[in-house]
Amino acid sequence: MRIDILTILPQLLSGPFSDSILQRAQNKGLVEIHLHDIREYSRDKHHKVDDYAFGGGAGMVMQIDPIYRCVEVLKSEREYDEVIYMTPDGHRLDQKECNELSLKKNLMILAGHYKGVDERVRELLITREISIGDYVLSGGELAGAVLSDAVIRLIPGVLNDETSALSDSFQDNLLSPPVYTRPANYKGHKVPEILTSGNTRAIEEWRHEKSLERTKARRPDLLED
Ligand code: 6GU
């Protein structure tokens, strides 16, 4: 998979992609992440990428031209499955959509800023608008990093068996069961006996039961469909 991220703050995104699983995925050649500084596509002598909103009001709006030019260059080099705009007014991301996106080959992600982007960017260039939750971030960069992480870890070969995505919370609309490690007794607080019983079948059943219990208590909405 290849992910191209368009941003005015590339330095904010270089961190999340240069550590841990995301770095390993790139080193293994399973994913390529390319950051593009939208300012470099500005024709303004001061590399301006935003302007006042027509009709007035507070807040600057990202202009279409630098974004359009950047997208055009990338599209001339390869076909993109989706051009995603990260925005709090998009539909809310969930695990199902991450699974779907993990099967794509080329994704472009636009991280918005200021008051938003000129509406014509959305009309002309964007194929999907995604929010990561009902709260507002100061920019789409961190949301783009969240989306990328959630998608990349699902690509076969990125995770090892130990961290396999199959047992994740949400993968089957259930939250994960509680987990424990040594010591089996910490200041009198003991690990559930069944986990040290060696009875694999019983452990699996216990875990499923705990998953259901936890989901019912914390996220009953997940059990509705
Ligand atoms: Cl995708 N962008 C911004 N700026 N805020 C958000 C978001 C995205 N998702 C939730 N809040």
Side-chain angles (χ1 to χ4, degrees):
M1 172 184 285
R2 176 182 166 119
I3 302 178
D4 290 274
I5 306 184
L6 284 57
T7 170
I8 53 162
L9 294 171
Q11 68 282 12
L12 179 60
L13 280 169
S14 54
F17 294 116
S18 52
D19 255 310
S20 183
I21 286 168
L22 297 188
Q23 184 58 56
R24 221 182 51 226
Q26 292 174 85
N27 293 344
K28 282 195 198 167
L30 296 169
V31 65
E32 271 180 47
I33 296 159
H34 297 266
L35 303 177
H36 305 275
D37 188 346
I38 295 168
R39 276 184 210 288
E40 290 175 11
Y41 294 84
S42 169
R43 282 189 259 218
D44 177 83
K45 63 173 182 282
H46 301 111
H47 305 289
K48 193 166 75 90
V49 291
D50 63 325
D51 211 330
Y52 298 101
F54 278 126
M60 304 295 275
V61 177
M62 284 176 76
Q63 295 172 290
I64 185 169
D65 188 60
I67 297 170
Y68 196 97
R69 278 155 47 92
C70 183
V71 171
E72 221 173 27
V73 167
L74 290 171
K75 279 186 177 171
S76 75
E77 293 166 349
R78 69 197 62 75
E79 275 199 33
Y80 284 87
D81 299 291
E82 298 284 348
V83 181
I84 300 167
Y85 175 43
M86 302 310 301
T87 175
D89 60 8
H91 63 256
R92 190 152 6 120
L93 181 67
D94 61 14
Q95 192 62 34
K96 183 163 165 272
E97 185 170 23
C98 294
N99 290 342
E100 184 210 336
L101 290 173
S102 74
L103 303 172
K104 308 285 188 191
K105 195 156 174 280
N106 296 313
L107 297 177
M108 211 187 298
I109 299 177
L110 171 63
H113 245 262
Y114 310 113
K115 246 347 220 185
V117 301
D118 188 302
E119 188 66 19
R120 290 165 293 184
V121 168
R122 303 168 75 152
E123 291 166 2
L124 299 175
L125 302 173
I126 299 300
T127 62
R128 222 186 255 228
E129 304 190 329
I130 296 178
S131 160
I132 62 162
D134 292 342
Y135 42 82
V136 179
L137 303 169
S138 37
E141 282 77 14
L142 296 177
V146 166
L147 172 66
S148 301
D149 183 298
V151 167
I152 290 167
R153 61 190 292 287
L154 296 170
I155 299 170
V158 169
L159 299 183
N160 46 40
D161 272 355
E162 243 173 279
T163 48
S164 159
L166 290 174
S167 58
D168 286 344
S169 276
F170 295 111
Q171 204 49 272
D172 42 15
N173 265 357
L174 287 178
L175 301 183
S176 294
V179 293
Y180 299 87
T181 188
R182 279 189 283 269
N185 183 343
Y186 186 69
K187 302 182 198 284
H189 299 273
K190 292 184 190 140
V191 165
E193 226 163 77
I194 193 156
L195 295 177
T196 52
S197 69
N199 185 341
T200 332
R201 175 94 185 263
I203 291 170
E204 274 319 299
E205 271 169 31
W206 181 88
R207 286 188 169 146
H208 185 68
E209 213 171 281
K210 289 290 168 191
S211 275
L212 266 173
E213 216 173 83
R214 192 160 263 198
T215 311
K216 267 182 211 157
R218 300 181 181 189
R219 292 294 307 276
D221 57 295
L222 292 177
L223 297 170
E224 272 158 28
D225 43 68

